[in-house]
Each structure stands twice: as C-alpha cells, then as structure tokens.
Amino acid sequence: MSNNAPPPDSRSRLVVVALCSAAIIIDGYDLIVYGTVVPTLADGSAEWTLGAAEIGRIGSYALIGMLIGAMLIGTITDLVGRRRVMLGCIAWFSIAMALAAAAPTVELFGLARFVAGIGLGGVVPTAIALTMEYAHPRHRSTTNAFMFSGYSIGGILASLTAIAVIPALGWRAMFWIGAILGGLLLPLAWRMLPESANYLLLRGRDAEAAELAARYGVTLEEAPARAKQGPAAAIKSLFERRFLAGTLLFWLGTGVGLLLVYGLNTWLAQIMRQAGYPLGSALAFLLVLNLGAIVGTPLLGMAADRMGSKPVTAGMFVVAALSIFLLSMRLPSVLLFALVAIAGACTIGTTILVNAYTANFYPAHMRATGLGWALGVGRLGAICGPIYGGAILASGWGIEANFYAFAIPAVVGALTMFVIPARRGVTSEGGIGAAAQEVDQVR
C-alpha cells in the first residue's frame, strides 16, 4: 500500500459482509421453505398429498443439487473469481425457485428443487470465502458467524411468512416469494460486490488487487505457483499430507452438522404436529429453532475467536446432543421452546462455525475449493437428513425415537471435532497466514 493510499474503509468491509449475508438469507429461506410446506403437502390440503417417504425424497433433491453445486462451483470460484460466481448463482436459484412455484406435477417440482440446489450450493462456499477474506483477521469466526446467521434469518423469514401466507395464498406463494427476493438482490450485488483481491493478484491483475486491498484493508496472500494451475491441481492439493487428515475430518464434521440442520428443519414441524400441536404452534418450533441460531451463533463465534474453534465446535455438538435428547421428555411447552432454541444454536450454529474452521484451515488460494468440497461431501449428510428423519417418523417407533435418532449424530460430530489436528493450512507464504499461524496452532 502506498503512502498516498486512502485509509481502509470499514464501511466497505461491512458492505461485502452484508451482501454475502443477504445471499445467505435468501439461501436459507429457499431451503427452509420446503419444511414449512411439508405439513400442507402431507395433510391433503394441497393438490398433491404426499407420504413421508416421498416428502423425504423431494427434500433431498435440492440437497443433491447442492452437493453438485458446492463441489463444482466451489472449485470454479477459485479459478474464475468470486464475484462472477456469486452473481450467477443468485440468478440461477432465483429462476429455479420460480420454476418450483409454477411446477404442474410432483416430478417437475422435484426437478426444480434439484436445479435450485445447484445454485444454492455454489453460493455458500463463495460467500464464506469472500467474508473470510474481507473480515478482520482477528475476527474471522465472529464475522462469518454474523454473516452466516443470515441462514437462520432466512429460516425465520420462511417460518413467519408461512404462518401468514400459506392459509391465505397457498403453499406455492412461498416459492414465488423466494424467487422475488433473489431478483431484488441481484442488481444490488452486481453494483456493489467486489471481486476477491487475492483472486486478482493470483491472475496477475496486481494494480486492481492493490487498489481493492487498500480500499478494504485486505492483506494480500502470495500464492504458490501451483495455485495458478487448473482445477485438478486445486483438488489434488486438498489431499497433500499437511491437509489430508483435516480434509477428511472436516468432510465428516460438515456432513454430521448438515444432517442435523436439514433433518430437523424438514421434520421438526411435522414431528410437533404429530405430538398434538396445531399447525401454527408446530411452525413456531421451526421458527424458534432458527431464532436460537441467530442469537447464539454470533456469541459462539466470538468464543471461537477467543478460545479456538476446536473446543467450541466440539462443545456445541455435545450441547446439541443433550438438548435434542431432552426434547424426547414430556416437559412444559416453555421449556421445550428453550431446548429447541439451544438445539438451533448448537446445530445450525455449529455447522456455521465448522465452515469458518474449515476456511481458516486452508490458505486463500484454495479456500473456496476446500470449503466447496467439504460442503459438497457434507451434503451427503444433508441429503440423508430428510430421508433419515422420514424413515424414523414412518417407523412407528414413537415420537421419542425421532429425538434419539438426531442426538446420536451430534455425539459423532463432537468426537470428529475433537480429533481434528492442529491447523497446517496456514504457512509462512505471507500476510494473514503468517500473522495468525501462532494463534491457530492451538485450535
């Protein structure tokens, strides 16, 4: 940065985080919206009446699309740029949501959900990579937690909207609203979202990179020569000796977290409906699940920045297991709502912090690739979540079995986080990595 360069503008950082958060809010809405229409599709009040198994399968279609989108687009974004990918994904899933709203058959509805998932899957690693780059190095987990809390805001928006909209306008209106939200965000992102400064540096656009770094206060990280090769080299680097154990463990931890997130968001309202709650109250549990994540995740992100990601994420999985287990007991409604809020903070919130942990594990030039593959492979857990919950609900084992079934993966997640090795993704290649290395070795 030259002596004549203007000082970094913290407001510009906030714009980047706000735009990424807005994309994640719509991403969260577009995913959670399916859970809000499940009771309507299941009780015969819609034009289609679907059984638990079919509902679970359709719920997984979007997640299969997200698996493909996260792995493919997460790798591409390290090669073609974050901005271009973000804009394309917003346009993609907005169109797909409109197609879902207008689908004349169950089969076409499922196909539209799959197509939407591809765009939704690409947004997540791109938004995290941009946020981690433009966040202050000492507050990356906190900033990412605030940004990704947009997922839960989207869930709450979907839940509140469903309570008012479905009885008045029907379930299809929920998907039209998602399409409109994406259409509103696209021109704002086009005008205000910057490119990754480190991506520009990697592509030899040094002057543009330096200008962005000066404006936003970004520390440029010099990438090794191999980072300038194609996608095969980027993917191969995930399996180098220094990254291999972490790569595999982050895949497992992400998968467990996403199984909990999508399993609970798909089935919690229906489980509570079968437990005797009316539709409005059952949807309120879904709202509280996401509200708990909004309130708890930023606080836990601050804890991760101070104490390290490993103890915080492992501990959150343990608390998730306990709170979900306690939901199986006959307790007063106020206590059940409190436990659901804790479960939201420690399932959705834990997954958000695992994403930040994963991003910090890798250097800037392979960050989106590492995130994309963790989220892509982890989508296997997300795909299994609705199917898993549907199978338990259809088994006839009783309401309690649903909660036992979701407590077990949370225990697995805690053990996975506990055994992740000291981070070796940061090297002395420069910038943020060198400054943060000593702190992150204890994580």
Side-chain angles (χ1 to χ4, degrees):
M1 187 186 304
S2 69
N3 292 332
N4 295 324
D9 184 357
S10 60
R11 289 175 298 179
S12 297
R13 288 181 185 265
L14 291 176
V15 168
V16 177
V17 175
L19 288 170
C20 290
S21 183
I24 296 299
I25 287 172
I26 301 172
D27 181 285
Y29 176 96
D30 286 356
L31 287 168
I32 305 305
V33 69
Y34 181 68
T36 70
V37 304
V38 161
T40 303
L41 296 175
D43 67 9
S45 58
E47 61 267 44
W48 310 321
T49 301
L50 307 181
E54 191 170 13
I55 288 172
R57 284 196 301 271
I58 293 174
S60 294
Y61 292 159
L63 305 177
I64 295 171
M66 291 190 76
L67 184 156
I68 296 170
M71 295 174 71
L72 178 62
I73 300 174
T75 301
I76 290 173
T77 189
D78 277 335
L79 302 173
V80 304
R82 318 271 200 250
R83 172 184 159 82
R84 190 179 305 170
V85 166
M86 180 71 85
L87 294 173
C89 287
I90 293 170
W92 180 288
F93 70 65
S94 298
I95 293 170
M97 285 289 288
L99 293 175
T105 67
V106 172
E107 292 76 16
L108 288 176
F109 176 71
L111 178 61
R113 293 299 293 158
F114 168 77
V115 172
I118 295 174
L120 296 170
V123 162
V124 175
T126 308
I128 295 172
L130 275 170
T131 298
M132 298 299 283
E133 178 172 345
Y134 282 97
H136 191 286
R138 293 185 180 179
H139 306 294
R140 284 179 164 181
S141 291
T142 303
T143 304
N144 187 69
F146 273 106
M147 184 280 294
F148 216 95
S149 291
Y151 174 89
S152 297
I153 294 174
I156 286 182
L157 178 62
S159 301
L160 289 174
T161 303
I163 292 171
V165 166
I166 292 177
L169 300 176
W171 66 272
R172 289 181 184 272
M174 296 296 296
F175 293 91
W176 283 118
I177 290 169
I180 291 168
L181 290 174
L184 293 174
L185 175 62
L186 186 60
L188 291 176
W190 180 276
R191 180 178 179 182
M192 303 174 71
L193 187 70
E195 183 52 271
S196 160
N198 281 293
Y199 166 79
L200 294 174
L201 182 68
L202 181 65
R203 295 298 161 188
R205 297 160 64 178
D206 295 359
E208 295 174 73
E211 191 275 331
L212 275 179
R215 188 194 315 167
Y216 292 93
V218 174
T219 303
L220 297 174
E221 300 181 43
E222 192 65 44
R226 68 175 178 275
K228 301 179 183 181
Q229 300 174 10
I235 296 168
K236 184 179 178 181
S237 64
L238 300 179
F239 301 96
E240 293 178 1
R241 183 175 180 181
R242 59 180 175 151
F243 297 129
L244 179 59
T247 291
L248 297 177
L249 288 168
F250 280 121
W251 287 2
L252 177 58
T254 301
V256 167
L258 291 175
L259 183 150
L260 292 168
V261 169
Y262 289 100
L264 289 172
N265 271 298
T266 299
W267 287 110
L268 182 61
Q270 184 64 10
I271 291 170
M272 291 305 185
R273 189 79 184 272
Q274 290 199 0
Y277 289 90
L279 177 60
S281 296
L283 289 171
F285 279 103
L286 189 60
L287 186 154
V288 170
L289 182 79
N290 289 280
L291 182 62
I294 291 176
V295 174
T297 303
L299 298 176
L300 293 163
M302 294 178 193
D305 278 326
R306 294 178 63 88
M307 301 167 55
S309 296
K310 176 186 285 192
V312 173
T313 52
M316 287 169 70
F317 269 127
V318 170
V319 175
L322 290 173
S323 60
I324 294 170
F325 174 80
L326 290 173
L327 287 173
S328 66
M329 301 180 180
R330 297 188 180 277
L331 299 170
S333 292
V334 65
L335 189 53
L336 289 176
F337 276 111
L339 288 170
V340 168
I342 294 170
C346 294
T347 54
I348 299 170
T350 303
T351 305
I352 292 169
L353 293 191
V354 169
N355 290 336
Y357 195 2
T358 306
N360 268 331
F361 188 76
Y362 298 105
H365 70 272
M366 56 186 292
R367 185 165 291 146
T369 300
L371 271 169
W373 277 75
L375 287 165
V377 175
R379 290 296 162 190
L380 294 173
I383 291 165
C384 290
I387 297 172
Y388 179 64
I392 299 299
L393 195 65
S395 68
W397 293 343
I399 297 298
E400 294 82 3
N402 294 277
F403 299 111
Y404 302 154
F406 284 113
I408 293 170
V411 174
V412 174
L415 294 174
T416 302
M417 292 296 102
F418 183 75
V419 298
I420 287 177
R423 176 186 146 191
R424 299 185 184 278
V426 176
T427 70
S428 58
E429 288 164 358
I432 293 171
Q437 184 176 18
E438 181 177 351
V439 174
D440 284 318
Q441 289 302 318
V442 301
R443 299 184 177 185

